[in-house]
Amino acid sequence: MTFGEQVDEPTAFAILDRALERGVDFIDTAEMYSVPARRETFGATETIIGRWFAARPGARQKIVLATKIAGPARGMDWIRGGSPDLTPEHIVQACNDSLKRLQTEAIDLYQLHWPARNVPMFGGLYFDPANERSVTGILEQLQPFDGLIRAGKVRAIGLSNETPWGVTEFVRIAEANGLPRIATVQNPYALVNRVVDNGLDEVLFRSGVGLLAYSPLGFGSLTGKYDDGGPDPAQPALGRLARFDSMRRQRWARPETLNAARRYNALAREHGLTPTQLALAFCYRSWRVASTILGVTSVAQLDEDLDAWSVQLAPEVLTAIDRIRWEIRDPAQ
């Protein structure tokens, strides 16, 4: 999601080259990217990845490629004219557009970026029945995915920013109607946001659906770089929370989130680990996680994140992590 905003195309190519060299075989993107979402950069990340595939013969065959179709407009009138719904026609057209930008014949994993129906998400805490509205239902959304799979344009489907009810319904309706079954759900999973552990983990386990954990470093808060001065706008090089005002208004920059991150970062140092090692090892080794999605802005960051794969957290560290969570719960929910 950083490609096309924080990361220019040559740097993106260098990051992708290094990832492939080190054995990374999964790339996740979205039509909405890069971020922060802007009209001018809509589709930029997919376009850069597509150009990389074109410039690297054989690379596409080594990659499991995932992308996402944006849900109903969240103030982005440049996506499907700001439609408040996500129709079958929208799904087919968005897929075709992504295929062109990505310069590929098929998307390995095509995901709904967020639900069309009324749900609390992106920092929302409570379900509000007053926000109910008429939108395309789950059955009607699964049908065009079935057509895309039959046409060879999509190989598997997934969800993102979903609830336990939503995952269960997508599985139930697919099985009842002989339609494609979701393979994955991409939700936040980090030390400062373990909402997955509040019931969705059981749903995933019993349904055989994999978790793609996003924001495992809490938008940088779990690297330690905001421990001292916080996300200071005068230091944009620190990262997204410092660079973009819109990011500082999100859940990852809440005072409660940053204070919780400091607790976890201090725990890491007490045990001879870097904050990044603690946060990523927690995700890498969780039975819940099928793949951890990393968002980096340099080759050095990529190497640091991949090197954390070798870290094993001792039982006493995991106990201490749970003790902190018991006190502060999930401030970045």
Side-chain angles (χ1 to χ4, degrees), residues 20-301:
L20 196 62
E21 175 189 334
R22 293 203 54 175
V24 173
D25 62 0
F26 176 71
I27 294 176
D28 173 77
T29 185
E31 65 168 355
M32 186 192 80
Y33 297 161
S34 53
V35 294
R38 296 189 292 123
R39 186 187 309 274
E40 296 79 7
T41 57
F42 173 75
T45 305
E46 285 187 330
T47 298
I48 289 172
I49 293 170
R51 289 174 179 160
W52 180 73
F53 284 141
R56 304 290 189 271
R60 174 66 185 92
Q61 288 68 42
K62 299 177 182 179
I63 293 295
V64 176
L65 177 63
T67 193
K68 301 182 284 291
I69 174 174
R74 298 172 54 241
M76 295 177 284
D77 61 3
W78 57 89
I79 302 179
R80 287 175 284 283
S83 172
D85 197 4
L86 187 62
T87 68
E89 294 76 19
H90 290 157
I91 292 170
V92 172
Q93 185 61 55
C95 179
N96 288 332
D97 291 344
S98 286
L99 287 169
K100 290 178 184 177
R101 286 189 291 265
L102 290 164
Q103 300 193 44
T104 187
E105 295 181 354
I107 295 164
D108 295 310
L109 178 65
Y110 197 40
Q111 306 153 96
L112 288 175
H113 206 153
W114 58 86
R117 68 186 192 282
N118 166 37
V119 296
M121 57 184 171
F122 301 120
L125 298 181
Y126 303 111
F127 176 80
D128 185 354
N131 293 330
E132 285 292 276
R133 63 190 187 281
S134 178
V135 295
T136 299
I138 291 173
L139 174 61
E140 291 73 26
Q141 289 180 334
L142 283 170
Q143 289 166 341
F145 283 123
D146 182 55
L148 291 169
I149 290 174
R150 291 178 184 275
K153 295 181 178 182
V154 170
R155 296 196 172 101
I157 62 170
L159 306 173
S160 185
N161 299 295
E162 257 299 357
T163 67
W165 185 90
V167 172
T168 300
E169 279 296 282
F170 267 92
V171 170
R172 182 187 69 81
I173 291 173
E175 292 179 343
N177 293 276
L179 292 167
R181 196 179 190 276
I182 58 168
T184 58
V185 60
Q186 182 179 154
N187 275 24
Y189 193 62
L191 292 173
V192 292
N193 184 338
R194 290 171 56 184
V195 176
V196 166
D197 295 340
N198 296 342
L200 182 57
D201 53 355
E202 181 187 5
V203 171
L204 298 177
F205 175 77
R206 299 195 186 283
S207 301
V209 174
L211 172 66
L212 304 181
Y214 80 74
S215 293
L217 293 172
F219 270 47
S221 66
L222 291 167
T223 67
K225 62 185 176 183
Y226 299 126
D227 281 4
D228 294 330
D232 182 1
Q235 301 181 67
L238 281 175
R240 282 178 286 179
L241 293 184
R243 181 172 176 176
F244 302 112
D245 178 68
S246 61
M247 296 291 181
R248 288 192 297 279
R249 294 196 299 268
Q250 295 184 21
R251 53 189 161 163
W252 306 103
R254 290 171 180 158
E256 297 86 353
T257 300
L258 296 173
N259 287 335
R262 292 183 183 98
R263 293 276 303 274
Y264 290 115
N265 297 341
L267 176 67
R269 297 181 185 106
E270 289 170 14
H271 290 269
L273 301 169
T274 67
T276 296
Q277 287 175 325
L278 179 76
L280 291 181
F282 176 79
C283 286
Y284 289 161
R285 300 304 175 194
S286 173
W287 63 262
R288 300 160 184 81
V289 177
S291 188
T292 305
I293 297 175
L294 307 169
V296 303
T297 57
S298 69
V299 172
Q301 279 188 346

